[in-house]
Amino acid sequence: MEMKKFICAKCNKIIEVPYGVPKPDFCPYCNAPSIYIHRIDPGGRGLGRGRGRRCGMRFINNNPPTK
């Protein structure tokens, strides 16, 4: 089974959670709240929210403005 990896900013320990399970509310090692737990793996198996085909396309402009 694939696992998501998080790191606790308080104790610097790696926390692994299976896909489909949300980020832990507290660090299992130092009991720090979830604001200190951050995702470190590339993340996502699919496109997910905000990662669609056209995401950010309006900000990419290959043609310089003409006057």
Side-chain angles (χ1 to χ4, degrees), residues 36-48:
Y36 294 104
I37 299 172
H38 307 285
R39 184 101 180 244
I40 57 172
D41 62 350
R45 292 185 288 181
L47 291 175

Side-chain angles (χ1 to χ4, degrees), residues 11 13-14 19-20 23 38 44 60:
C11 65
K13 300 257 185 179
I14 304 295
Y19 278 104
K23 177 173 86 169
H38 307 285
I60 298 172

Side-chain angles (χ1 to χ4, degrees), residues 5-60:
K5 290 185 181 181
F6 298 91
I7 189 166
C8 175
K10 286 280 194 173
C11 65
N12 290 325
K13 300 257 185 179
I14 304 295
I15 305 164
E16 291 190 356
V17 179
Y19 278 104
V21 176
K23 177 173 86 169
D25 292 331
F26 293 95
C27 174
Y29 303 105
C30 69
N31 210 26
S34 65
I35 61 169
Y36 294 104
I37 299 172
H38 307 285
R39 184 101 180 244
I40 57 172
D41 62 350
R45 292 185 288 181
L47 291 175
R49 191 163 135 199
R51 297 203 174 128
R53 182 177 76 208
R54 299 186 51 89
C55 179
M57 293 301 284
R58 65 180 169 199
F59 299 111
I60 298 172

